[in-house]
Amino acid sequence: MENRWKVTAKQSGLMLAVGVVLNPTGAQANTCNWTSTPERMIVAELYTSEGCSSCPPADRWLSSQLTTPERARSILALSFHVDYWNYIGWQDPYSSKQFTQRQYAHKSRGNVSQIYTPQYVFSNREVRRWGQAGLIPQQLAAMKQDKAPISLHMSLERKQANQVEIKVKADWLDERYKAGRMFIALYEDKLSQQVKAGENRGELLRHDRVVRHLSQAVAVSSADSVRVFTQTIPADWNQENVGIGVIVENSESNTVLQALNATGALARCS
């Protein structure tokens, strides 16, 4: 098989390879598959920090409202821990400058009016009153009327105990859209941390959907629709609680074209 192109990056100890990857051992591999919904999935991003005293309620709201099995089929919830609160005395172990940059990119593109935590962004639109009772039902009702312009098909193949290959294919269903940029996110549920300094000193904080790795954007189009990511899983991740999210955005308008959520993906394909 020809390796058409390859990009390699190293971030937080996690290796990312994009391209066509072969299994040199020829060993029998366990493969699992997921397909996106016909409707355009909601992408709910939370920008948060363990160093921010107003963030725990937003973290709890994500866990209680966005991660039930029913809603996980319609909502890809991702919790991005930013690093600009670390100066106050507590180094958030899940924080990353990359996530801070993603939040600032939302502002530069006009998706949000200002930068703050906790901040929710739903499908690239700022949501300020995220705690109101009717928000999620309204979002889900609108989603049912919004057919996705692309369909995503993801397969996960276990290469080694700590390495998986993730293949994503985008089928283009609307002739108005022919290209975009794709991200994959590996997130972890059921995390907890005893905070020993900063604004949340003494608190035991619990988190779900914490992004542990976000790939760089890779181009995808109707003419070149398959991307393959090989991921090495760090030893300090609990693979039983790791899921995978896929996002494809329009290259010009940064509109979310479609997303896919594979909860508990590594446990299902062990």
Side-chain angles (χ1 to χ4, degrees), residues 175-193:
E175 62 182 12
R176 292 175 298 175
Y177 302 98
K178 298 184 183 299
R181 54 180 178 259
M182 180 185 293
F183 306 85
I184 67 162
L186 276 74
Y187 61 79
E188 190 170 353
D189 289 326
K190 301 179 180 179
L191 288 168
S192 63
Q193 191 72 228

Side-chain angles (χ1 to χ4, degrees), residues 252-264:
E252 298 176 357
S253 66
N254 77 281
T255 303
V256 174
L257 298 178
Q258 183 56 305
L260 184 150
N261 185 20
T263 58

Side-chain angles (χ1 to χ4, degrees), residues 16-250:
L16 164 65
V18 184
V20 180
V21 184
L22 297 176
N23 181 358
T25 65
Q28 184 70 30
N30 188 12
T31 303
C32 307
N33 299 280
W34 292 263
T35 299
S36 60
T37 61
E39 300 80 19
R40 192 183 328 224
M41 180 173 249
I42 300 164
V43 179
E45 302 180 33
L46 168 63
Y47 291 90
T48 185
S49 170
E50 289 189 343
C52 159
S53 61
S54 59
C55 286
D59 295 340
R60 291 192 293 269
W61 188 80
L62 182 149
S63 296
S64 66
Q65 297 294 315
L66 305 181
T67 63
T68 63
E70 178 183 4
R71 289 185 175 175
R73 290 191 291 270
S74 303
I75 302 170
L76 171 60
L78 298 171
S79 179
F80 291 97
H81 285 234
V82 297
D83 69 346
Y84 51 79
W85 280 97
N86 290 350
Y87 81 94
I88 209 165
W90 176 250
Q91 294 288 317
D92 186 333
Y94 312 117
S95 66
S96 168
K97 185 174 184 62
Q98 181 195 18
F99 303 157
T100 299
Q101 291 171 340
R102 182 174 177 84
Q103 186 183 24
Y104 273 83
H106 278 302
K107 186 174 187 299
S108 67
R109 293 169 182 160
N111 300 340
V112 304
S113 59
Q114 57 184 309
I115 299 298
Y116 57 90
T117 55
Q119 184 173 49
Y120 271 102
V121 181
F122 276 40
S123 296
N124 291 351
R125 293 184 179 181
E126 183 177 13
V127 174
R128 286 185 174 271
R129 297 180 179 179
W130 45 266
Q132 61 184 349
L135 174 64
I136 300 303
Q138 290 170 6
Q139 293 276 334
L140 293 175
M143 173 188 169
K144 292 179 180 178
Q145 309 301 319
D146 187 15
K147 297 299 181 183
I150 66 172
S151 177
L152 297 176
H153 309 274
M154 187 185 83
S155 66
L156 175 66
E157 183 175 325
R158 179 75 64 166
K159 293 296 186 179
Q160 300 178 30
N162 69 336
Q163 188 179 76
V164 294
E165 180 180 281
I166 303 164
K167 180 184 291 186
V168 184
K169 183 177 186 297
D171 289 334
W172 300 78
L173 309 175
D174 189 327
E175 62 182 12
R176 292 175 298 175
Y177 302 98
K178 298 184 183 299
R181 54 180 178 259
M182 180 185 293
F183 306 85
I184 67 162
L186 276 74
Y187 61 79
E188 190 170 353
D189 289 326
K190 301 179 180 179
L191 288 168
S192 63
Q193 191 72 228
Q194 186 73 50
V195 179
K196 299 178 181 179
E199 291 188 356
N200 291 313
R201 181 177 182 178
E203 298 292 330
L204 176 63
L205 302 182
R206 303 182 188 278
H207 313 291
D208 290 305
R209 299 299 196 264
V210 176
V211 177
R212 303 288 260 153
H213 172 76
L214 178 70
S215 76
Q216 298 298 319
V218 293
V220 63
S221 69
S222 57
D224 192 11
S225 62
V226 178
R227 292 293 174 264
V228 181
F229 305 81
T230 297
Q231 303 286 354
T232 299
I233 311 301
D236 64 340
W237 293 15
N238 184 346
Q239 292 197 33
E240 292 294 312
N241 299 327
V242 174
I244 301 171
V246 182
I247 305 171
V248 177
E249 297 178 342
N250 183 282

